[in-house]
Amino acid sequence: MASTETRRHVRVLRPSELAEAADILRGGGLLAFPTETVYGLGGDATDGVAVARIFAAKGRPSFNPLIVHVGDVAAARRIAVLDPLAEDLAARFWPGPLTLVAPLRAGHGLSGLVTGGLDTVAIRVPAAPLARALLAAVGRPVAAPSANTSGRISATRATHVVDDLGAAVDGVLDGGPCPVGLESTILAATPPRLLREGGLAAEEIEEVTGPLARDVTPGRVQAPGQLASHYAPQRLVRLGVTAAQPDAVLIGFGPVDGTLNLSGGGDLTEAAANLFDYLHAADRLAAVQAVPFIDVAPIPEIGLGRAINDRLRRAAAPRQA
Ligand code: TXA
Ligand code: MG
């Protein structure tokens, strides 16, 4: 957690300061900004030094490629080749919490560091109005992983970013809490293959693609969101807990009530929006109460529940050295 000293050096910008936020990115700086999924740690995707600073700020191994954010599908076509199926998916789900992995287009102009030297690029058009206004003002593709230290919980509020990354960023654009609360769903476009469960339920994509091949095995892929241990709070996490225990803060769901409840009515969309925020909050509560565990109630494995359980399993997995 950042000290007060560190916090003082982070510039938190209001939505009315959008032009200054865009200037940070255009000047090669790092700006954390809100999308509908989670806060992103943004840098100019055409500027290799800015992209390198993203990796340094996150403490992320640099071979992992980043998601490139653009303002509309026309900007996406300038950097990637979208085949007819990708075009259909873009028309249906952009702007929104879907990332498409597609072949790079010649003359794309992106720093090689963004794609980790691959011949494909992960692109998305975020839906959050503030993110769209920012991308329009910047006029360049913006590389942005989730705005958290590598391996830690993603940020769904500006304060999460300030506490975690502190002075490692040049500014944090505060757009309030993220409405979706889970990272985007990642789909390889050709042939369609699900690489990461996320804020868009796979069932919705399958209405367009038919049954999807899945490639989301923890630990198999080098991508950080696919590591077995990821999204980890400081406290150890236990899953599928149905009653409060004296050694833990319980995050409830539906009828299993805890100190916090992801959704009292058992709504998975509401639970997704609360997930990372409540993991942050439970971590703080557990520290105050001096208990070693965060317990989480069972979540059904359907729709957004699959993405929620994916993040929870990684939060609960044995930690890497
Ligand atoms: O919701 C989100 O997706 C957030 C917001 C900020 O947009 N971003 C995010 O980025 O979650 P990040 O860097 O935490 O996750 C990027 C994922 C990684 O798992 C990475 O390996 C994968 O995208 N990725 C990027 N380029 C890829 C490529 N060419 N092929 C396959 N996977 C790729
Ligand atoms: Mg992440």
Side-chain angles (χ1 to χ4, degrees), residues 35 37-40 60 65-67 69 99 101 118 120-122 124 144-146 183-184 186 195-196 223-225:
T35 78
T37 58
V38 297
Y39 274 73
R60 174 188 275 194
L66 304 177
I67 296 176
H69 297 65
T99 295
V101 175
L118 299 171
T120 53
V121 58
R124 83 183 196 93
S146 50
E183 295 84 353
S184 60
I186 305 182
L195 300 182
R196 179 175 76 182

Side-chain angles (χ1 to χ4, degrees), residues 247-275:
D247 58 353
V249 169
L250 175 62
I251 300 179
F253 177 79
V256 178
D257 209 12
T259 312
L260 303 160
N261 195 320
L262 288 168
S263 171
D267 181 309
L268 289 168
T269 303
E270 183 186 7
N274 287 330
L275 179 67

Side-chain angles (χ1 to χ4, degrees), residues 58 60 145-146 148 154 183 196 224-225 230-231:
K58 278 188 70 87
R60 174 188 275 194
S146 50
N148 55 277
S154 299
E183 295 84 353
R196 179 175 76 182
H230 201 69
Y231 307 101

Side-chain angles (χ1 to χ4, degrees), residues 166-179:
V169 294
D170 300 302
V172 180
L173 180 59
D174 187 353
C178 301

Side-chain angles (χ1 to χ4, degrees), residues 29-290:
L30 297 189
L31 177 82
F33 66 96
T35 78
E36 73 279 20
T37 58
V38 297
Y39 274 73
L41 174 57
D44 179 348
T46 67
D47 176 345
V49 175
V51 177
R53 288 188 61 212
I54 295 176
F55 291 115
K58 278 188 70 87
R60 174 188 275 194
S62 61
F63 45 78
N64 295 309
L66 304 177
I67 296 176
V68 174
H69 297 65
V70 293
D72 54 37
V73 67
R77 290 188 196 109
R78 285 196 286 276
I79 55 180
V81 180
L82 302 184
D83 68 9
L85 181 64
E87 287 281 355
D88 283 352
L89 292 164
R92 173 126 175 214
F93 297 116
W94 281 354
L98 173 69
T99 295
L100 291 174
V101 175
L104 277 166
R105 179 179 295 285
H108 54 79
L110 299 176
S111 152
L113 209 48
V114 173
T115 56
L118 299 171
D119 53 10
T120 53
V121 58
I123 312 184
R124 83 183 196 93
V125 179
L130 198 54
R132 302 196 76 197
L134 178 72
L135 291 165
V138 174
R140 294 178 201 162
V142 172
S146 50
N148 55 277
T149 304
S150 194
R152 301 238 81 97
I153 309 165
S154 299
T156 55
R157 290 173 185 272
T159 52
H160 297 159
V161 183
V162 172
D163 288 346
D164 183 5
L165 293 173
V169 294
D170 300 302
V172 180
L173 180 59
D174 187 353
C178 301
V180 175
L182 287 173
E183 295 84 353
S184 60
T185 300
I186 305 182
L187 189 78
T190 326
R193 201 158 39 98
L194 190 69
L195 300 182
R196 179 175 76 182
E197 307 262 16
L200 178 67
E203 288 91 333
E204 288 198 53
I205 300 172
E206 287 179 326
E207 287 174 16
V208 178
T209 59
L212 277 174
R214 282 173 163 74
D215 191 0
V216 294
T217 327
R220 203 189 72 75
V221 188
Q222 73 283 15
Q226 290 163 300
L227 291 174
S229 166
H230 201 69
Y231 307 101
Q234 313 274 352
R235 294 288 172 300
L236 296 172
V237 178
R238 299 185 299 208
L239 304 181
V241 179
T242 53
Q245 306 296 322
D247 58 353
V249 169
L250 175 62
I251 300 179
F253 177 79
V256 178
D257 209 12
T259 312
L260 303 160
N261 195 320
L262 288 168
S263 171
D267 181 309
L268 289 168
T269 303
E270 183 186 7
N274 287 330
L275 179 67
F276 290 135
D277 198 24
Y278 285 12
L279 284 171
H280 281 283
D283 225 7
R284 287 192 297 269
L285 279 169
V288 170
Q289 296 174 15

